[in-house]
């Protein structure tokens, strides 16, 4: 949809060949999934639980400032682990092959106000199938932002840096509202829809439990540390929200990422689907710790190609995927976190203002030239 | 307030503290065998019995209800990271003082779980357990004369019986290819030396397969004995026929291992058991399409294997992953993605 199609140099055969090569990478990982991988996720889960327990324990004494700091830091990391490397990935079915009902996409519940089954639908199904297709993938701007030149500008968009900032701070609520498709369901008639009501109720229940835990019960348990523990859990949630929002923005918003028109995916082949995932995602480069804390969403490109492969394998897959990008002369959008975050925010600011319409597309430009 | 009500209140409060996890998720970290936990066991020792069989000593969790001699237990073992469930006979006496139980496993060729348990599993490993079940058990009233007719690993439930209850007059006919293949051979010979058992070993490599019609030569009074038989289907079929020919079928009790082996084919009859529909499917059409075509309400999402919105229990039979060709066989708890799976033989989908 951008001015120049960066995949224009590929023939249909090449795209299908690319698809086959990607399938081969996938098959290789699937064939070698085993004990080590299972041990990995078990270890991460148990580490997360222990960290959360210890941090909450320390926060019982949070009136003592060093305890507040350590407890808050620990709880923030524990919450990030729960949502990113554990929750997001399990809910993708990455660990279903283990057949352990406790680590399964159908049974997992995460520390988040959106119930996991609702999130699974909006994320796995809508976002991952229709990645970056305007009008179909609501993750593109979450329905509150304009993220591409070709989207219609509206004065409402002037405020989008602010919306985006608020969304970052209360990201889990944003996601819950988004999973409920609140925007479109708040119309009078839709509000009465029993299916919507049931889902809204489920969200309400989940919010109540989460809020009660973080803002009532744990502070109460801390007795004299009530207020400081309250502040600590609030901070931990804030840190987790801003962190996950930043990571997720880096996945599809940085400059260089392509978006697609609805009609471009009609009759899409497997190769073309793969190609769209490649062009519609961006990575974050960094250390192993960095990859871990992003839930390996730093390997967003690999994740979008193979959303159900175990996250601990993306790093090795990335080497092969990157080689394919080079072979087919495609741009592998990646960069360190600050750069990608800046790039994504830059876009948010830039597109809050109207741009000269229409941005000329290649075929139109040719016509113009011919006409001239 | 009663103490039970108090406890349930306290538990509710704990659940509020740990939400969305459960208190047990944390307790499992430190005490997986405690009372109230999902039933598990810890393998404490592995003793080789023969070249391809071993006895596993398992300490079951506190919720274990105990077994009756002759029963089996289903155990869930993680093999190459994947949890697989199998049933094995309990071979320990029911009154073992230390509360441990044993199962004895014979490695079958290409058997994923049996080979893992016999050759690779390490003491300390946790396994999942079900409560013991099975009605291949001894009656309350002691029969005067007993015959145990066993072959291969069919000896395992019977060993559980032999170790549990003493009878006055017990005869055993056991078949195995060679002397060294007889599981529990030393234990059996000890029983013989103590005059607690009369044993006939049939070594099929040299003696040939036991001809049940000639059982009378080995055990002249077989028809008067209460008989427990366990072994391969061929032996049991022949025994059932023989006993009923002589009109004494009520004296024969049999136990069959591994009923119905799944043969993976290409397409087959698909049953949607919740809806009660049965249709024929080929080996290339996703079960999601097959179900929708038949008017079954199938959950779905991406229809390309990435969203896991279509996972459905596979109750019986086998399916093939259309992307990798991998075969998945039905086992309790097995879920499949219907959008990328096709029938590999007859199968039963719970929709
Ligand atoms: S419908 Fe998405 S995985 Fe089957």
């Amino acid at each position: 949809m951008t001015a120049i199609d960066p995949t224009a140099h590929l023939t249909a055969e090449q795209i299908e060949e690319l698809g086959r090569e990607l399938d081969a990478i996938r098959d290789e990982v699937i064939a070698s999934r085993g004990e080590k991988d299972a041990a990995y996720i078990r270890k991460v889960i148990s580490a997360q639980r222990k960290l959360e327990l210890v941090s909450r324990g320390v926060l019982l004494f949070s009136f003592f400032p060093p305890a507040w700091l350590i407890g808050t830091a620990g709880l923030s990391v524990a919450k990030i682990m729960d949502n990113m490397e554990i929750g997001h990935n399990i809910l993708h079915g990455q660990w279903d092959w283990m057949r352990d009902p406790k680590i399964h996409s159908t049974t997992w519940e995460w520390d988040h106000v959106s119930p996991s089954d609702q999130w699974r639908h909006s994320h796995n199904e809508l976002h991952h199938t229709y990645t970056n297709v305007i009008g179909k993938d609501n993750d593109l701007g979450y329905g509150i932002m304009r993220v591409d030149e070709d989207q219609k500008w509206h004065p409402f968009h002037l405020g989008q840096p602010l919306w985006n900032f608020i969304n970052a701070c209360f990201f889990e609520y944003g996601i819950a509202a988004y999973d409920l498709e609140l925007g479109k369901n708040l119309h009078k008639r839709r509000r009465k829809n029993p299916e919507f009501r049931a889902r809204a109720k489920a969200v309400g229940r989940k919010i109540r439990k989460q809020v009660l835990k973080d803002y009532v019960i744990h502070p109460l348990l801390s007795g004299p540390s009530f207020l400081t523990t309250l502040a600590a859990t609030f901070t931990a949630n804030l840190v987790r929200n801003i962190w996950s929002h930043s990571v997720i923005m880096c996945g599809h918003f940085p400059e260089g990422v392509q978006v697609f028109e609805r009609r471009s995916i009609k009759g899409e082949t497997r190769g073309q689907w793969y190609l769209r995932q490649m062009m519609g995602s961006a990575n974050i480069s960094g250390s192993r710790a960095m990859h871990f804390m992003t839930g390996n969403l730093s390997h967003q490109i690999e994740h979008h190609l193979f959303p159900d492969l175990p996250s601990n394998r993306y790093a090795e897959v990335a080497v092969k995927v990157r080689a394919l990008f080079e072979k087919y002369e495609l741009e592998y959008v990646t960069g360190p976190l600050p750069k990608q975050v800046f790039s994504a925010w830059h876009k948010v600011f830039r597109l809050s203002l109207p741009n000269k319409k229409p941005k000329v597309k290649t075929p139109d430009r040719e016509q113009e030239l011919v006409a001239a | 307030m009663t103490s039970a009500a108090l406890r349930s209140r306290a538990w509710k409060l704990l659940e509020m503290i740990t939400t969305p996890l459960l208190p047990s998720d944390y307790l499992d970290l430190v005490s997986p065998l405690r009372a109230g936990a999902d039933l598990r066991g810890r393998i404490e020792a592995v003793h080789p019995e023969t070249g391809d069989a071993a006895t596993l000593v398992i300490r079951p969790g506190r919720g274990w209800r105990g077994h009756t001699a002759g029963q089996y237990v289903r155990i869930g073992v993680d093999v190459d990271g994947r949890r697989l469930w199998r049933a094995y006979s309990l071979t320990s006496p029911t009154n073992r003082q230390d509360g441990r139980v044993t199962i004895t496993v014979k490695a079958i060729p290409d058997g994923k779980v049996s080979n893992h348990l016999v050759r690779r599993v390490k003491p300390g490993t946790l396994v999942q357990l079900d409560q013991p079940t099975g009605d291949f058990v001894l009656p309350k009233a002691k029969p005067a004369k007993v015959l145990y007719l066993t072959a291969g690993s069919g000896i395992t439930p019977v060993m559980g019986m032999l170790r549990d209850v003493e009878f006055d007059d017990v005869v055993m006919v056991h078949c195995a290819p060679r002397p060294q293949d007889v599981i529990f051979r030393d234990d059996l010979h000890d029983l013989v030396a103590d005059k607690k058992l009369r044993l006939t070993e049939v070594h099929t490599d040299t003696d040939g397969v036991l001809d049940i019609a000639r059982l009378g030569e080995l055990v002249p009074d077989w028809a008067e004995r209460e008989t427990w038989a366990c072994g391969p289907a061929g032996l049991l079929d022949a025994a059932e026929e023989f006993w009923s020919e002589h009109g004494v079928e009520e004296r024969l009790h049999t136990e069959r291992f591994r009923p119905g082996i799944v043969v993976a084919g290409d397409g087959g009859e698909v049953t949607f058991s919740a809806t009660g529909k049965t249709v024929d499917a080929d080996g290339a059409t996703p079960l999601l399409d097959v179900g929708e075509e038949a008017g079954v309400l199938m959950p779905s999402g991406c229809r390309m294997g990435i969203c896991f919105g279509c996972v459905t229990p596979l109750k019986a039979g086998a399916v093939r992953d259309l992307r990798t060709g991998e075969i998945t066989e039905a086992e309790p708890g097995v879920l499949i993605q219907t959008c990328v799976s096709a029938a590999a033989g007859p199968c039963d989908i719970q929709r």
Side-chain angles (χ1 to χ4, degrees):
Chain A
M1 207 153 169
T2 11
I4 294 155
D5 178 3
T7 63
H9 61 288
L10 297 178
T11 65
E13 289 80 62
Q14 280 178 311
I15 295 174
E16 291 324 295
E17 177 59 22
L18 167 67
R20 277 189 293 276
E21 290 180 77
L22 285 166
D23 275 337
I25 294 175
R26 179 188 147 81
D27 290 351
E28 218 174 286
V29 175
I30 289 202
S32 63
R33 277 185 315 204
E35 209 168 302
K36 264 208 203 140
D37 303 289
Y40 169 80
I41 190 65
R42 292 218 164 87
K43 204 170 100 195
V44 173
I45 291 172
S46 113
Q48 190 276 339
R49 286 178 184 169
K50 288 174 190 156
L51 178 62
E52 175 159 1
L53 266 183
V54 170
S55 308
R56 300 251 191 208
V58 171
L59 284 177
L60 296 177
F61 310 97
S62 57
F63 61 82
F64 181 49
W68 190 90
L69 265 177
I70 293 171
T72 308
L75 188 58
S76 306
V77 173
K79 280 181 175 265
I80 288 172
M81 284 167 76
D82 172 276
N83 279 192
M84 310 291 276
E85 181 68 346
I86 301 174
H88 169 268
N89 294 336
I90 290 178
L91 293 176
H92 259 293
Q94 291 183 4
W95 303 97
D96 281 14
W97 60 274
M98 286 163 63
R99 295 187 181 174
D100 181 342
K102 298 222 151 137
I103 310 182
H104 199 277
S105 61
T106 53
T107 56
W108 192 264
E109 194 53 76
W110 58 349
D111 183 11
H112 197 284
V113 295
S114 180
S116 38
D117 56 332
Q118 297 197 20
W119 179 83
R120 250 172 12 120
H121 167 75
S122 63
H123 180 84
N124 289 11
E125 193 183 323
L126 304 181
H127 168 57
H128 272 270
T129 315
Y130 302 113
T131 313
N132 285 21
V133 177
I134 290 185
K136 287 217 127 192
D137 176 9
N138 293 328
D139 272 34
L140 266 183
Y142 303 109
I144 54 171
M145 284 190 299
R146 186 169 167 260
V147 291
D148 188 76
E149 271 81 3
D150 281 358
Q151 280 175 310
K152 220 166 135 195
W153 183 84
H154 189 276
F156 171 80
H157 290 126
L158 280 174
Q160 75 178 22
L162 182 64
W163 317 148
N164 199 35
F165 178 70
I166 296 172
N167 189 30
C169 295
F170 300 98
F171 194 45
E172 58 174 329
Y173 292 90
I175 296 276
Y178 166 73
D179 292 345
L180 272 177
E181 300 182 88
L182 212 53
K184 93 175 185 220
N185 279 319
L186 275 187
H187 291 293
K188 255 223 186 96
R189 217 153 5 97
R190 293 236 182 135
R191 243 182 310 180
K192 295 236 172 69
N193 176 328
E195 195 248 353
F196 168 71
R197 293 181 77 115
R199 289 199 297 130
K201 244 199 180 148
V203 174
R205 250 195 323 269
K206 188 82 194 281
I207 292 181
R208 201 167 57 238
K209 281 189 181 170
Q210 294 292 102
V211 166
L212 210 61
K213 168 178 81 159
D214 274 350
Y215 300 135
V216 180
I217 298 195
H218 281 282
L220 275 179
L221 286 175
S222 329
S225 296
F226 181 91
L227 281 178
T228 44
T229 295
L230 185 79
T233 35
F234 182 80
T235 308
N237 280 328
L238 189 69
V239 169
R240 184 265 316 269
N241 285 347
I242 293 181
W243 175 258
S244 45
H245 179 267
S246 304
V247 168
I248 286 157
M249 278 236 298
C250 292
H252 302 289
F253 293 169
E255 304 286 353
V257 171
Q258 307 295 311
V259 296
F260 307 88
E261 280 177 82
R262 226 186 244 248
R263 61 183 155 84
S264 74
I265 61 161
K266 263 223 152 162
E268 197 176 51
T269 64
R270 184 153 180 83
Q272 287 166 335
W273 183 83
Y274 269 137
L275 187 60
R276 173 157 58 84
Q277 304 302 329
M278 292 166 85
M279 303 319 295
S281 315
N283 281 4
I284 302 168
S285 57
S287 64
R288 279 181 59 174
M290 177 75 200
H291 293 308
F292 179 77
M293 289 307 286
T294 63
N296 276 295
L297 288 179
S298 47
H299 298 298
Q300 188 77 235
I301 298 174
E302 290 72 21
H303 172 59
H304 262 266
L305 290 169
F306 314 115
D308 60 345
L309 290 188
S311 56
N312 60 325
R313 305 297 286 274
Y314 285 144
E316 72 185 64
V317 165
V319 179
K320 298 178 193 166
V321 168
R322 202 164 178 164
L324 283 183
F325 268 84
E326 268 160 37
K327 176 172 168 192
Y328 289 93
E329 296 172 24
L330 297 166
E331 191 196 351
Y332 191 81
V333 181
T334 184
L337 184 76
K339 177 179 159 232
Q340 299 296 81
V341 170
F342 176 81
S343 173
W345 273 100
H346 187 241
K347 199 186 222 176
V348 169
F349 273 95
R350 182 160 56 78
L351 294 170
S352 67
L353 300 171
N355 46 285
K356 268 188 258 132
K357 254 227 109 158
K359 253 222 148 166
V360 196
K361 278 175 248 160
T362 336
D364 303 344
R365 153 92 48 82
E366 271 164 21
Q367 272 173 8
E368 273 173 27
L369 288 175
V370 172
Chain B
M1 210 180 324
T2 65
S3 75
L6 213 75
R7 230 176 310 148
S8 105
R9 282 242 173 136
W11 194 253
K12 283 246 167 66
L13 180 72
L14 262 182
E15 281 179 358
M16 283 161 89
I17 294 176
T18 59
T19 190
L21 297 181
L22 295 172
S24 58
D25 291 325
Y26 290 98
L27 292 171
D28 281 354
L29 290 176
V30 284
S31 171
L33 301 183
R34 73 189 187 283
D38 288 355
L39 190 55
R40 306 183 181 90
R42 194 184 292 286
I43 296 176
E44 294 195 330
V46 181
H47 304 302
E49 294 284 353
T50 64
D52 58 3
T55 291
L56 276 61
V57 181
I58 299 173
R59 179 156 69 97
R62 297 276 298 282
W64 179 257
R65 288 204 284 267
H67 72 284
T68 307
Q71 285 190 317
Y72 61 87
V73 60
R74 277 181 10 98
I75 89 169
V77 194
D78 292 338
V79 183
D80 296 332
R82 186 183 302 244
R83 182 155 306 161
L84 301 172
W85 288 83
R86 296 289 185 272
Y88 293 106
S89 296
L90 289 152
T91 50
S92 48
T94 53
N95 58 357
R96 200 175 144 131
Q97 289 308 312
D98 61 5
R100 313 295 197 262
V101 296
T102 64
I103 56 171
T104 303
V105 180
K106 183 175 177 329
I108 51 174
D110 296 328
K112 272 193 203 134
V113 177
S114 60
N115 278 290
H116 179 81
L117 289 178
V118 171
R119 309 191 202 282
R120 288 196 300 272
V121 83
K122 295 264 172 321
T125 304
L126 274 185
V127 293
Q128 314 298 312
L129 296 177
D130 267 356
Q131 295 293 349
T133 60
D135 43 21
F136 187 68
V137 292
L138 297 171
K140 289 239 169 57
K142 272 193 184 187
K145 293 165 136 195
V146 170
L147 164 63
Y148 293 128
L149 175 61
T150 56
S153 58
I155 195 166
T156 53
V158 167
M159 196 64 205
M161 294 174 171
L162 271 176
R163 284 174 172 160
D164 204 54
V165 192
E166 271 183 34
F167 295 106
D168 304 330
D169 182 353
V170 189
V171 179
M172 171 183 261
V173 176
H174 178 65
C175 311
R178 300 166 304 169
Q180 64 266 40
D181 297 322
V182 175
I183 306 175
F184 308 122
R185 193 157 194 247
D186 291 346
D187 302 64
L188 292 173
H189 286 198
D190 287 349
L191 287 171
V192 169
D194 292 349
K195 302 225 160 23
K196 289 180 177 156
L197 172 72
R198 274 183 291 151
L199 171 70
T200 305
E201 285 179 46
V202 178
H203 301 135
T204 51
D205 270 7
T206 46
D207 308 341
V209 182
L210 173 70
D211 176 6
I212 209 92
R214 297 175 56 194
L215 183 64
E217 289 169 23
L218 302 175
V219 190
D221 57 353
W222 67 269
E224 296 161 30
R225 292 177 176 270
E226 204 67 24
T227 301
W228 280 268
C230 184
L235 175 76
L236 299 183
D237 291 344
E240 274 166 6
E241 201 174 312
F242 189 61
W243 258 256
S244 70
E245 256 169 38
H246 289 81
V248 285
E249 60 268 32
E250 77 286 347
R251 298 249 166 93
L252 177 68
H253 314 274
T254 57
E255 169 99 314
R256 287 168 191 269
F257 288 155
R258 293 200 294 146
I261 291 176
V262 189
V263 197
D266 206 7
E269 192 169 82
V270 184
T271 308
F272 295 94
S273 46
T275 329
K277 287 217 168 93
T278 302
V279 287
D280 272 321
D282 61 33
T285 313
L287 289 163
L288 176 58
D289 296 349
V290 173
E292 285 177 343
E293 194 72 7
V296 178
L297 194 62
M298 304 287 289
S300 71
C302 64
R303 310 186 77 93
M304 56 187 297
I306 60 166
C307 77
F308 288 71
C310 62
V311 292
T312 300
L314 175 65
K315 303 302 275 184
V319 299
R320 178 177 284 108
D321 188 313
L322 289 165
R323 301 164 300 177
T324 57
E326 199 188 348
I327 298 286
T328 301
E329 286 174 22
E331 267 180 55
V334 165
L335 300 164
I336 53 157
Q337 290 169 276
T338 59
C339 69
V340 286
S341 304
C347 52
D348 184 335
I349 312 289
Q350 198 183 9
R351 279 294 167 208

